[in-house]
Amino acid sequence: MSQLNFEVLEHLAVLSENPKGWRKELNLVSWNDRPAKFDIRDWSPDHLKMGKGITLDNTEMKALKKQLLEIDL
């Protein structure tokens, strides 16, 4: 099994936090030394453990932003 390598390059936002301190965050993350992507997932308080998440490149993030701006929340 190959080793997962990641680096959080920029913390952009904390979206929520649960009682155990895990936070759902939006970050710019480089996975396996590849170009950074926008990343939304749960992180442990020390950022050593993570939950399942989603990564978006710039084009996908722009499309998501456009769609969110059109939703009446």
Side-chain angles (χ1 to χ4, degrees):
M1 183 174 201
S2 64
Q3 179 70 24
L4 177 65
N5 176 17
F6 69 91
E7 181 182 4
V8 177
L9 300 177
E10 188 174 350
H11 297 279
L12 299 171
V14 174
L15 306 176
S16 64
E17 183 171 345
N18 73 22
K20 293 185 179 182
W22 282 64
R23 300 187 317 178
K24 187 175 307 293
E25 298 181 6
L26 171 62
N27 297 311
L28 276 176
V29 179
S30 172
W31 296 97
N32 296 322
D33 299 316
R34 293 189 176 123
K37 292 187 176 186
F38 293 96
D39 183 86
I40 301 172
R41 74 182 60 244
D42 290 327
W43 290 91
S44 66
D46 58 10
H47 274 145
L48 295 178
K49 296 178 185 173
M50 66 190 85
K52 291 183 180 179
I54 182 172
T55 59
L56 303 166
D57 63 24
N58 286 345
T59 301
E60 294 166 326
M61 187 60 148
K62 287 176 186 176
L64 176 60
K65 179 182 176 181
K66 181 177 184 264
Q67 293 302 310
L68 288 173
L69 290 172
E70 292 177 8
I71 295 173
D72 184 24
L73 299 174

